[in-house]
Amino acid sequence: MVVGAGMAGSRSCEELRAQGFEGEIVLLGAEQHLPYDRPPLSKEVLAGDLDDTALEVPWDRLDVDMRLGVAATGLRPGTVETTGGDLPYDGLVLATGARAVTLPGAAGGSVLRTVDDALLLRSRLVPGARVVVVGAGWIGAEVATTAAARGCAVTVVDAGAAPLGIALGDEVGSLTVPWYAEAGIELLLSTGVASVEPDRVELADGRALPCDVVVVGVGARPDTGWLEGSGLELDRGVAVDEHLRASWDGVVAVGDCAAWQSLRFGTRLRVEHWDDALTAPVVAATTLLGGSAVHDPVPYFWSQQLGHYLQHTGHAAGADAVVHRGTPGAPDGWTTCWLRAGRLIALLAVDRPRDVVQGRKRIAAGDPVDLTALADPATPVKSA
Ligand code: FAD
């Protein structure tokens, strides 16, 4: 059985069949929609360029018993409790993804996680609408970009000192500050939010922002509440080893809900990125079918925001040096590299896709890097 009909769940069905599994596959999905892609929700769907992002999966050929609108509510060894009754399993893939965090007082539809959220929000992003986005993270920046492009008057509020500060650190995140003014967006940093109402955001400093639309983009949490109390080990997600095996026999976890042991980085990672949901099911299916494979990719993520294409790869925790390729903040792009003990561990490329392809390979190789050559944007990362 596969619980969660998103990218990771649907890829798990495909991989189980690709690896020769001929038994019954039941796919449970809490939403009423066929599995679909989420990255376009904050980009093309919100912009009005796309309505349907359903994944292209040959469901008939895969022979999957798909049960949409059915949510798992509890787990016992061998049994998934669901809103449609108890269902037995021999092998189980947990792929319930993540749930957007909201704030007390925010109206329904203030977060962006599902296609229904995106279509509702799009209908409200009319020219002249006053939009307040709480949170200058990845989703907040992308929503602000699209809302401004649709002619809305957009204000982004963040308690941190820089946009993307949690993901990239304040110093690098600050380099994106000028992009907001260039897009006609007001950015309020180091500004706490005291309360949110559907038509008003009260700031901690006493100011109030009247608005027509509030969007809360303050992160997501693994959708594992239904597993609490089951006895399955959780550790900021479903705790799994490098084979994606959970603490019970015959149970694996993939995608946004999985906290997997990275041998490469020596820590447990929970990667809320599309690329991980795409690739982890290959290993999870192998594990479930009794084989041995290890999931240890160099994480990769992209974002399109404020006229720029950002790509991030690796894991920067523990870096002891930072090197920039090109002038940080230059309008035509630059690359920031994080190193530890002379080796590349993470890289952010702004409008420089070639650097990220080569950087990801260097991080995987783990070989020493020449810092002077790395700092020269004319020297390919692969040669530095
Ligand atoms: P999900 O896509 O969350 O799917 C999980 C599914 O499980 C959901 O359909 C949910 O309804 C269902 N479910 C949950 N609980 C239960 C239950 N108890 N029972 C049954 N079903 C359940 N990543 C990038 O790398 N680049 C991007 O540009 C990017 N943009 C994004 C933009 C948006 C707006 C969002 C929301 C995400 C974006 N991401 C991006 C992240 C990427 O989409 C996720 O990493 C990916 O969707 C994770 O796939 P998943 O299958 O693990 O989880």
Side-chain angles (χ1 to χ4, degrees):
M1 182 182 308
V2 179
V3 182
M7 167 63 91
S10 83
R11 287 280 301 119
S12 297
C13 297
E14 289 186 292
E15 271 306 318
L16 284 165
R17 291 295 186 227
Q19 295 185 31
F21 179 66
E22 292 180 349
E24 185 187 3
I25 301 179
V26 175
L27 174 60
L28 290 190
E31 294 178 64
Q32 294 287 355
H33 303 282
L34 281 169
Y36 60 88
D37 222 2
R38 286 178 210 275
L41 299 183
S42 50
K43 307 172 184 78
E44 294 89 340
V45 173
L46 214 52
D49 298 333
L50 193 65
D51 292 332
D52 182 7
T53 67
L55 296 172
E56 286 182 18
V57 177
W59 290 113
D60 289 346
R61 192 159 52 72
L62 290 183
D63 188 21
V64 168
D65 175 0
M66 184 148 21
R67 306 201 188 172
L68 299 178
V70 177
T73 53
L75 184 66
R76 306 192 302 272
T79 303
V80 177
E81 299 162 11
T82 83
T83 51
D86 287 1
L87 297 173
Y89 70 82
D90 299 311
L92 180 63
V93 181
L94 300 173
T96 49
R99 185 179 284 264
V101 176
T102 189
L103 294 173
S110 299
V111 294
L112 176 51
R113 181 76 201 176
T114 68
V115 65
D116 294 331
D117 294 336
L119 295 176
L120 176 62
L121 181 56
R122 182 171 89 186
S123 71
R124 302 170 70 204
L125 296 182
V126 294
R130 296 161 305 166
V131 178
V132 175
V133 179
V134 181
W138 299 114
I139 298 285
E142 290 194 357
V143 170
T145 303
T146 312
R150 285 175 70 89
C152 302
V154 185
T155 302
V156 177
V157 186
D158 198 296
L164 305 175
I166 293 172
L168 303 177
D170 287 348
E171 200 178 319
V172 176
S174 296
L175 300 170
T176 72
V177 167
W179 301 350
Y180 285 79
E182 284 159 22
I185 297 168
E186 183 182 24
L187 176 64
L188 304 177
L189 293 170
S190 304
T191 304
V193 168
S195 68
V196 173
E197 291 167 38
D199 60 353
R200 191 176 173 83
V201 172
E202 302 269 355
L203 303 179
D205 60 15
R207 281 180 292 168
L209 303 174
C211 54
D212 304 300
V213 182
V214 178
V215 183
V216 178
V218 296
R221 299 281 175 273
D223 212 337
T224 52
W226 65 283
L227 294 167
E228 273 161 28
S230 66
L232 190 77
E233 189 190 343
L234 302 176
D235 177 13
R236 293 164 293 117
V238 180
V240 291
D241 65 10
E242 65 272 24
H243 308 290
L244 304 177
R245 191 187 294 125
S247 60
W248 293 359
D249 281 347
V251 181
V252 293
V254 284
D256 281 13
C257 74
W260 46 275
Q261 190 61 41
S262 167
L263 301 181
R264 184 188 311 281
F265 293 104
T267 187
R268 190 162 260 161
L269 297 180
R270 194 174 71 78
V271 176
E272 284 180 12
H273 300 164
W274 184 90
D275 188 69
D276 202 71
L278 182 79
T279 57
V282 179
V283 171
T286 304
T287 300
L288 211 50
L289 298 176
S292 179
V294 168
H295 183 63
D296 205 8
V298 175
Y300 167 75
F301 171 81
W302 79 95
S303 172
Q304 288 152 269
Q305 54 175 274
L306 304 157
H308 297 274
Y309 190 43
L310 279 63
Q311 294 165 287
H312 184 272
T313 184
H315 181 63
D320 55 25
V322 175
V323 168
H324 298 288
R325 290 168 59 74
T327 308
D332 58 347
W334 78 94
T335 295
T336 299
C337 307
W338 288 265
L339 299 106
R340 186 170 61 222
R343 288 163 168 79
L344 197 58
I345 56 168
L347 180 147
L348 170 77
V350 178
D351 301 321
R352 290 180 61 101
R354 190 175 301 165
D355 279 1
V356 86
V357 173
Q358 297 181 9
R360 197 176 187 194
K361 288 185 183 151
R362 290 301 294 267
I363 297 169
D367 53 350
V369 175
D370 178 334
L371 298 196
T372 310
L374 187 66
D376 173 11
T379 303
V381 174
K382 65 179 177 192
S383 318

